[in-house]
Amino acid sequence: MSWIEVVDANGRVVARRAAEGVPCTVGSALDNTLLIEGPDVAPYHARIDREADGRLTVTVLGQSSGLQRPGAPELAMFLALTPSAPVAVGGSVIRLVDEATRDVSVVASGPEPRWREFVSRRPVQWGAAALLAISGAAIGYFTMPGSERAVNALAVAVALVLAECAWVGLWAITGRIRHGRARFGEHFVVATAIAIVGWAVAELESWQQFLLPGAGAAATVLLAVTAVVWALAILLHLRVMNQAHWQKHVRIAAGFGVALFVMVLAVRDYQGPWSSDIEFSAVLKPFARVWASSPDQFGESLTKLRGQLDKDDEEPAATVAEDTAGS
Amino acid sequence: MNLRAYVVATGALLVLGPRVAHSQGIVTAAPPAGDVAQAFKRLAPAVVRIEVRETGAVALSSVGSGFFAAPSGRIITNYHVISRLVNEPGRHRGRATWGSDTVDIQVLAVDVVHDLAVLDAPDAHGAAMLTPVTVNLLKGDRLLAMGHPRDLGLSIVEGTYNGQVEHVLTPRLHFTGPLNPGMSGGPAVTPAGALVGVNVATMGEELAFLVPAEFVTRLLSRLPATLPTADALRRDMATQLGQMGVDALDALFIPGAPTVQLGPYRAPTEPSAAFQCWGDAREPKDAAYRLVVHRCGTDESVFLSEDLNAGLVYFSHQLLDGASLSRIRLLTASEQAFNDKLTFDGTARETTRFRCTTGNVRTATMTFRAEVCARRLKSLYGLYEAVMRATPLGATAQSLVTTLTMSGVRFDLIQRTVARYLASITLSPETQE
């Protein structure tokens, strides 16, 4: 059995298809049979056909930059594909082999995962938009103290949907440029799911601040959870754009999550430039049965605050003045 | 405008400097009577013009007045006239001028609470002196005030005594007369020439204030033997303010102190005669609740520097009356009111930044969410400024957001006062859940 393989610039087989499965297409768009990434690869770069005599041929499609024999400078619009004559597309090579290479990982190019199939359904996409809008309206209507409840509901719903459209739009534009398809709807479903999970984590954080004010370890754990949610969001959006390069996507998402966690941890206690303002940060819940100290205990607990203040800017104005006042 | 801003804005000090020179209109004095002219002639040799110059730019930083006081022959003025000599001694130099004489001055002692300073002028010889005396003044008694209004030359103005100022922690005399910027530190005397007070502040429209002469006597009685450093002066000022805080705060918010009913809550009001309370009720724009505000404070602030005042204590209660609101909406409104930003005066050179701590506090009748934010006054050793804001948890129809501010006080006093204040707010039993 013969196979058509795509080998990237590092010599790794990144896509494979049985030679019997032609015709097939090659390019950077997700719906190609063989996915090839690279700056010189067009979304729909070429098509592989079987001629009447049984030979395989590669033919340039549309706006692509052409085909080459590996190492040869000449560009061609049409080349034969044989075991001894591979075809170069961008930095990758399409080759015909008699036996599949077993010792390298190969990106699966089978049917779409179930979650991707799910998010690509139109009813699901409209459902996500409706869920987001209804959630925003509920927040505006049931929690805001303003007298115009309908206006509050509308304002929050519109703000939420617009904010998510902006976020999703960035992914869609990136996908359109890199892979030829925006997949706005799929990204929207993913973003809505992540928004719900993110809201749940934020709610956990606010309960932590309410029930355990000043508990640094609990806050750090929740910060880590937040970083994981963001990493998950990045990973899912990358997977929506492109099914290939699973490990690469995991590395990008994990790197983002770790960077976010470290960065927020580093600046969490940074207070910014000196200011004479007080920014209160009360988190209130409709719940009175919490652990609480007595007024005297609370007063005593302020000693720690005094310790912090006494350490702040430990160059007091005392250093200015051993002079006699007025001399 | 918060209470402190109101106090600072309305109690304009009489020093003539860049910040106040344009803030007051000149009020024309009535022509002095014959005895006033005689008094001027007799007292003028004792009254001096005091200037403080920034040494780098050799420019005037402030101009005020002062006078020679018996028996020491030292110059008396307001602390706020020469505060730069204490706070930034390396950058400022002070001089006193009377008649054709000019001498360098140095700060010998400060009473920051009453806004007085004693200056040492070793080269001043043979000047006339005023003697602080205790006079039983009656409302309506004529008084004469002297000084250098707007640096236009030595002047005398005539006014009347209108008693002790009410709602203040430190005694002040109410003088109805045209005091103007530049007259700070000048003497106020009876027509017979008895020193009864020192010009200190005005609220315009001939509403002016004097420091009673008894505090001049007290300050003169505790002069140091040698010239203190500015650092020693500031330590002394910190001690004075700290003691003032203890005197003013330690008796407040004790069980049985006056309270006001705000919805289902009883909260402190007018904790002493020095406090005055104001109230208001309104419906904030676009809000579905009624807001009742009750605030109390003293009508004064202690001048520390050009950028910093200490107001000692004031507090306010906001009742959010939202009977038509759901519990969640009332909670959001309370959270918004709680998180309202507060802005204070001061600079990074004078204070640290605010740091905050949060906790849940259970009193006999309810549980509070409380946040205390405090900063240290760097140049006044051991003194702090703190704000405590609290709101009861679990409110259903009416919520309370209360704020207590203490400025220029010792930290142990802040701790005790916060505890007593929270304990003094109660929920009426019949409305308790």
Side-chain angles (χ1 to χ4, degrees):
Chain A
M1 183 179 178
S2 298
W3 295 83
I4 302 167
E5 290 182 343
V6 176
V7 183
D8 70 8
N10 297 318
R12 291 179 304 179
V13 176
V14 293
R16 177 187 300 135
R17 186 173 179 81
E20 285 73 25
V22 294
C24 65
T25 59
V26 175
S28 62
L30 283 177
D31 49 356
N32 283 288
T33 320
L34 294 170
L35 197 67
I36 300 179
E37 287 193 320
D40 298 326
V41 181
Y44 301 96
H45 198 100
R47 192 182 66 240
I48 303 174
D49 295 297
R50 185 176 294 279
E51 300 299 318
D53 59 2
R55 286 183 309 137
L56 293 180
T57 58
V58 185
T59 308
V60 163
L61 292 173
Q63 304 292 320
S64 60
S65 55
L67 308 169
Q68 293 167 290
R69 291 297 180 194
E74 298 84 12
L75 285 171
M77 304 302 286
F78 174 89
L79 289 172
L81 178 64
T82 67
S84 58
V87 174
V89 175
S92 301
V93 171
I94 303 169
R95 70 186 183 190
L96 184 64
V97 291
D98 289 335
E99 289 296 328
T101 311
R102 300 290 182 192
D103 57 345
V104 292
S105 62
V106 175
V107 176
S109 56
E112 286 194 309
R114 289 177 67 181
W115 71 269
R116 275 206 50 179
E117 193 273 328
F118 178 75
V119 300
S120 64
R121 291 184 199 162
R122 285 284 175 212
V124 172
Q125 293 168 2
W126 282 110
L131 179 64
L132 191 70
I134 291 168
S135 302
I139 290 169
Y141 193 83
F142 291 113
T143 70
M144 294 179 69
S147 55
E148 300 293 338
R149 299 183 76 173
V151 174
N152 295 339
L154 186 64
V156 178
V158 169
L160 267 185
V161 171
L162 286 181
E164 185 160 310
C165 282
W167 166 254
V168 166
L170 290 174
W171 286 103
I173 290 168
T174 308
R176 181 77 180 87
I177 293 169
R178 285 183 58 83
H179 304 296
R181 281 193 62 182
R183 298 183 184 272
F184 188 92
E186 285 100 313
H187 282 300
F188 199 97
V189 176
V190 166
T192 303
I194 292 294
I196 291 168
V197 175
W199 171 83
V201 174
E203 194 61 17
L204 271 179
E205 283 180 326
S206 75
W207 275 96
Q208 178 264 317
Q209 287 175 37
F210 176 68
L211 295 171
L212 303 165
T220 304
V221 168
L222 286 168
L223 174 61
V225 174
T226 304
V228 168
V229 171
W230 273 97
L232 186 64
I234 300 292
L235 179 64
L236 288 177
H237 282 300
L238 287 172
R239 301 307 294 162
V240 165
M241 277 203 303
N242 182 354
Q243 281 189 82
H245 312 304
W246 166 255
Q247 290 174 339
K248 181 176 157 188
H249 290 169
V250 169
R251 281 198 300 273
I252 291 171
F256 180 87
V258 170
L260 182 74
F261 177 73
V262 171
M263 203 166 62
V264 175
L265 202 61
V267 302
R268 191 168 58 174
D269 295 328
Y270 175 63
Q271 304 225 327
W274 183 92
S275 165
S276 60
D277 296 341
I278 297 180
E279 305 270 2
F280 291 97
S281 55
V283 175
L284 303 179
K285 298 288 176 192
F287 188 61
R289 299 189 191 285
V290 292
W291 183 90
S293 54
S294 71
D296 287 337
Q297 286 171 332
F298 182 63
E300 284 297 315
S301 72
L302 299 179
T303 304
K304 189 177 169 190
L305 179 66
R306 177 186 185 165
Q308 291 172 333
L309 291 171
D310 289 347
K311 283 182 197 157
D312 277 350
D313 304 331
E314 281 186 294
E315 167 267 326
T319 55
V320 283
E322 284 312 314
D323 327 335
T324 299
S327 61
Chain B
M1 181 186 294
N2 66 33
L3 189 61
R4 163 183 278 200
Y6 169 80
V7 168
V8 172
T10 53
L13 298 169
L14 294 171
V15 66
L16 182 58
R19 299 185 67 201
V20 296
H22 307 292
S23 64
Q24 300 290 324
I26 294 176
V27 180
T28 307
D35 58 341
V36 177
Q38 289 297 318
F40 180 84
K41 190 175 176 184
R42 194 168 64 249
L43 300 172
V47 183
V48 302
R49 171 184 176 274
I50 292 171
E51 67 172 38
V52 175
R53 283 184 185 271
E54 205 276 326
T55 50
V58 201
L60 276 176
S61 294
S62 64
V63 173
S65 304
F67 59 91
F68 288 103
S72 64
R74 314 286 190 177
I75 296 172
I76 303 294
T77 187
N78 290 139
Y79 162 71
H80 73 259
V81 172
I82 50 80
S83 63
R84 287 180 172 90
L85 299 181
V86 177
N87 293 316
E88 299 172 277
R91 289 182 49 218
H92 293 92
R93 180 174 293 273
R95 294 164 77 85
T97 306
W98 70 103
S100 58
D101 295 320
T102 298
V103 294
D104 284 342
I105 52 172
Q106 291 165 341
V107 183
L108 193 58
V110 168
D111 177 350
V112 69
V113 171
H114 298 100
D115 200 358
L116 289 174
V118 180
L119 307 178
D120 184 45
D123 300 328
H125 302 291
M129 289 186 279
L130 295 175
T131 306
V133 292
T134 304
V135 180
N136 287 326
L137 293 170
L138 299 173
K139 280 194 179 184
D141 279 348
R142 286 175 63 214
L143 293 179
L144 305 171
M146 295 184 70
H148 291 262
R150 296 192 179 272
D151 204 18
L152 295 173
L154 183 59
S155 305
I156 188 166
V157 297
E158 191 176 4
T160 49
Y161 168 74
N162 271 301
Q164 295 264 352
V165 176
E166 296 174 359
H167 311 301
V168 290
L169 289 166
T170 53
R172 291 275 167 95
L173 305 183
H174 178 183
F175 174 70
T176 304
L179 293 189
N180 280 290
M183 296 180 78
S184 273
V189 298
T190 64
L195 179 72
V196 295
V198 180
N199 309 334
V200 68
T202 181
M203 292 174 77
E205 303 293 335
E206 302 205 3
L207 193 55
F209 306 102
L210 311 173
V211 181
E214 64 182 276
F215 296 106
V216 175
T217 308
R218 283 190 203 176
L219 187 56
L220 286 172
S221 70
R222 63 173 186 86
L223 293 181
T226 57
L227 210 56
T229 62
D231 189 45
L233 284 170
R234 285 197 296 269
R235 286 182 186 279
D236 189 34
M237 287 162 54
T239 305
Q240 294 166 24
L241 264 178
Q243 188 55 48
M244 180 191 182
V246 172
D247 295 344
L249 282 172
D250 246 358
L252 303 185
F253 314 126
I254 55 176
T259 55
V260 61
Q261 186 80 39
L262 293 165
Y265 308 99
R266 290 207 71 87
T269 186
E270 295 194 27
S272 78
F275 283 78
Q276 197 165 25
C277 297
W278 302 87
D280 188 19
R282 64 178 190 277
E283 289 184 5
K285 189 170 178 283
D286 298 332
Y289 58 87
R290 190 164 150 268
L291 186 66
V292 180
V293 179
H294 187 88
R295 27 172 96 97
C296 302
T298 56
D299 287 347
E300 66 178 335
S301 62
V302 176
F303 178 96
L304 298 178
S305 75
E306 294 300 313
D307 301 303
L308 188 63
N309 290 272
L312 277 178
V313 61
Y314 47 95
F315 56 92
S316 67
H317 313 298
Q318 292 182 74
L319 178 76
L320 284 73
D321 188 354
S324 64
L325 291 182
S326 66
R327 198 164 169 158
I328 297 289
R329 293 174 75 202
L330 180 65
L331 188 79
T332 309
S334 302
E335 199 169 85
Q336 288 172 354
F338 196 110
N339 291 335
D340 258 0
K341 192 168 85 172
L342 286 180
T343 297
F344 287 79
D345 52 13
T347 63
R349 194 181 66 81
E350 294 168 307
T351 75
T352 64
R353 70 178 72 243
F354 278 102
R355 282 185 177 273
C356 302
T357 190
T358 306
N360 301 322
V361 184
R362 182 164 294 124
T363 64
T365 56
M366 40 184 179
T367 304
F368 286 97
R369 179 67 161 189
E371 186 162 356
V372 174
C373 296
R375 64 179 181 178
R376 180 166 54 84
L377 306 183
K378 289 186 197 173
S379 59
L380 292 170
Y381 309 94
L383 298 188
Y384 300 79
E385 184 160 45
V387 180
M388 196 237 7
R389 186 166 275 177
T391 189
L393 296 175
T396 49
Q398 292 168 309
S399 180
L400 185 78
V401 177
T402 185
T403 306
L404 168 69
T405 302
M406 292 162 281
S407 173
V409 293
R410 291 183 348 213
F411 205 87
D412 60 325
L413 191 58
I414 290 171
Q415 292 175 286
R416 290 200 301 273
T417 310
V418 160
R420 283 202 311 273
Y421 184 83
L422 282 173
S424 70
I425 304 173
T426 56
L427 188 65
S428 300
E430 62 271 22
T431 56
Q432 198 175 340
E433 284 183 276

